Amino acid sequence: MENAFSILKQWVQESRRIVFFGGAGVSTESGIPDFRSTDGLYHQQYDDPPEEILSHSFFLRRPEDFFRFYRAKMLFLDAKPNAAHKKLAQWEREGKLSAVITQNIDGLHQAAGSERVLELHGSVLRNHCMNCGKFYDVQSIVRSQGVPRCDCGGIIKPDVVLYEEGLDTQTLREAVEAITQADLLLVGGTSLAVYPAAGLVDYYTGSRLALINRDATPLDQRANLVLRGKIGEILAQL
């Protein structure tokens, strides 16, 4: 581990086009629970499975139940950026990091100061009327009761990618471009179990693929460097 850390530190020092690809583990140190760990959202008991509740068809069929779950389990507006978010923002300011690609929807990378953040699964901070397209901030969802409605009567939908929905093609295109041009691809806090997002790593053809995660992932054998631990604690030392 110590040797791997030293190598990663050297890679970071030498790199000028770092791309970071991260998942839920990046935000757990900010107090936001993940989905797939033992204590994660998907292992809790509900009348309906969370994967079903967070699907496009469930949203359309039972919007009131969707928003009850969404407000209780998907919004963590008091969370603050942790050491991982702050270090990535620092690298961007220093001209070392070219993009953050995230599966998270909490907006913490931007709160830490990162500017080029590619949000594969959208953001809870953006919401739009499904009828007229009017923008609403997240507080509009929090303050509303039942199904949030626009002034025109349409349902206000969070700009998050639900199950059965496709990822934004422009965001995907930019993510692929950033990864193919990276001189260091740093993957952290993700189980690499969610596709098509996890498949983006396949576009990296360089020799500096570093993986930081608490648990094993399908990418471990392919990675050039693997570090086990909390990503915030590790990045803070770089």
Side-chain angles (χ1 to χ4, degrees):
M1 174 72 172
E2 186 173 338
N3 184 49
F5 179 82
S6 298
I7 295 172
L8 179 59
K9 190 171 185 177
Q10 180 181 344
W11 285 0
V12 170
Q13 291 172 347
E14 295 173 349
S15 298
R16 290 297 177 269
R17 295 189 309 279
I18 300 172
V19 170
F20 178 79
F21 179 94
V26 179
S27 293
T28 54
E29 292 171 68
S30 293
I32 299 178
D34 65 9
F35 287 74
R36 290 175 171 77
S37 69
T38 304
D39 299 320
L41 189 65
Y42 289 172
H43 289 273
Q44 299 177 28
Q45 296 298 314
Y46 302 97
D47 292 339
D48 300 283
E51 298 97 320
E52 182 180 344
I53 298 173
L54 295 174
S55 69
H56 180 78
S57 56
F58 188 97
F59 171 79
L60 294 178
R61 190 173 70 251
R62 294 166 56 185
E64 191 157 341
D65 291 333
F66 170 88
F67 278 106
R68 185 181 299 113
F69 180 89
Y70 182 81
R71 291 187 185 97
K73 299 297 181 180
M74 303 301 291
L75 299 179
F76 296 89
L77 303 184
D78 293 330
K80 304 297 182 185
N82 61 52
H85 300 105
K86 294 174 183 177
K87 178 60 71 171
L88 295 169
Q90 174 192 324
W91 287 346
E92 185 181 35
R93 289 194 301 272
E94 294 172 350
K96 299 176 68 62
L97 182 141
S98 56
V100 168
I101 302 169
T102 181
Q103 296 170 279
N104 297 333
I105 57 176
D106 49 48
L108 290 181
H109 284 293
Q110 292 92 329
S114 289
E115 295 187 7
R116 193 182 183 202
V117 182
L118 303 176
E119 297 172 309
L120 297 175
H121 296 151
S123 172
V124 299
L125 304 182
R126 300 187 300 269
N127 306 269
H128 288 89
C129 172
M130 297 178 68
N131 184 35
C132 71
K134 181 179 178 180
F135 173 85
Y136 287 87
D137 63 19
V138 68
Q139 290 300 331
S140 301
I141 304 295
V142 174
R143 290 192 300 266
S144 64
Q145 295 183 351
V147 180
R149 296 278 180 177
C150 175
D151 298 333
C152 76
I155 295 177
I156 302 171
K157 182 182 182 296
D159 282 355
V160 298
V161 178
L162 303 177
Y163 287 103
E164 304 166 353
E165 294 180 342
L167 303 189
D168 178 71
T169 54
Q170 180 60 31
T171 303
L172 278 174
R173 191 177 300 115
E174 291 185 39
V176 169
E177 180 181 359
I179 288 173
T180 56
Q181 296 177 358
D183 55 9
L184 167 59
L185 178 59
L186 183 57
V187 179
T190 172
S191 63
L192 293 170
V194 179
Y195 282 81
L200 288 172
V201 179
D202 294 336
Y203 288 94
Y204 181 69
T205 58
S207 59
R208 292 186 171 184
L209 172 57
L211 176 64
I212 304 174
N213 204 48
R214 291 184 310 173
D215 306 311
T217 79
L219 196 68
D220 287 4
Q221 296 303 313
R222 183 187 155 195
N224 304 110
L225 205 61
V226 176
L227 288 84
R228 289 275 177 264
K230 294 182 177 180
I231 188 163
E233 294 179 359
I234 292 175
L235 291 191
Q237 301 175 60
L238 293 173

